[in-house]
């Protein structure tokens, strides 16, 4: 089995910062894409930032220059540093990864349980 476990959400004032972490655990053989999505109330889930399988990064236009995605391959962990947070960044943030399990020939798309980020004064 494989799990994605997120941490680091919370309540922060506008202009503040938070750092999210997502660790893949279990029978992880290899990881392709890995990154973050978010879903605000009444809205569709949207891409925030992601590492492609080639190691490049993609960001939503709304977070460019404020958010930074990074990873620690040895720990199968991806991070999202969020600076200059705005009320419109309020959402549940989900980790997503394309993971191939040990002993399984095909990769599978995994999601974390989500972590709430609230930006409010």
């Amino acid at each position: 089995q494989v799990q994605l476990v997120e941490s680091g959400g919370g309540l922060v004032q506008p202009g503040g910062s938070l750092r999210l972490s997502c660790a893949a655990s279990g029978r992880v053989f290899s990881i392709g894409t890995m990154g973050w999505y978010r879903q605000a109330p009444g809205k569709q889930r949207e891409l925030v930032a992601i590492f492609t399988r080639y190691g490049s990064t993609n960001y939503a236009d709304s977070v460019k220059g404020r958010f930074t995605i990074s990873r620690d391959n040895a720990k199968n962990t991806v991070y999202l540093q969020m600076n200059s947070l705005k009320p419109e960044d309020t959402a549940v943030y989900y980790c997503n990864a394309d993971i191939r399990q040990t002993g399984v020939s095909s990769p599978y798309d995994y999601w974390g349980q989500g972590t709430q980020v609230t930006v409010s004064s």
Side-chain angles (χ1 to χ4, degrees):
Q1 296 291 339
V2 170
Q3 281 188 316
L4 296 178
V5 179
E6 302 137 335
S7 61
L11 173 65
V12 64
Q13 292 187 340
S17 298
L18 281 175
R19 188 190 194 213
L20 306 182
S21 300
C22 171
S25 63
R27 297 168 56 86
V28 176
F29 179 75
S30 64
I31 301 176
T33 62
M34 192 171 188
W36 296 92
Y37 289 72
R38 68 185 180 187
Q39 188 166 19
K43 294 188 177 181
Q44 289 189 331
R45 192 172 296 189
E46 62 175 1
L47 172 71
V48 177
I50 198 164
F51 279 100
T52 71
R53 63 184 65 253
Y54 306 109
S56 60
T57 56
N58 290 329
Y59 290 91
D61 287 343
S62 59
V63 307
K64 285 180 181 177
R66 300 188 297 122
F67 292 11
T68 302
I69 190 171
S70 61
R71 68 193 300 177
D72 184 333
N73 291 328
K75 296 181 179 180
N76 290 332
T77 299
V78 68
Y79 305 95
L80 185 68
Q81 178 66 43
M82 305 185 292
N83 298 329
S84 303
L85 282 159
K86 305 175 181 180
E88 50 264 44
D89 294 317
T90 296
V92 178
Y93 284 68
Y94 295 93
C95 181
N96 172 260
D98 189 47
I99 296 175
R100 181 180 166 191
Q101 285 191 61
T102 303
V104 177
S105 59
S106 298
Y108 186 78
D109 196 41
Y110 289 89
W111 290 91
Q113 80 283 1
T115 185
Q116 177 70 45
V117 172
T118 302
V119 185
S120 175
S121 55

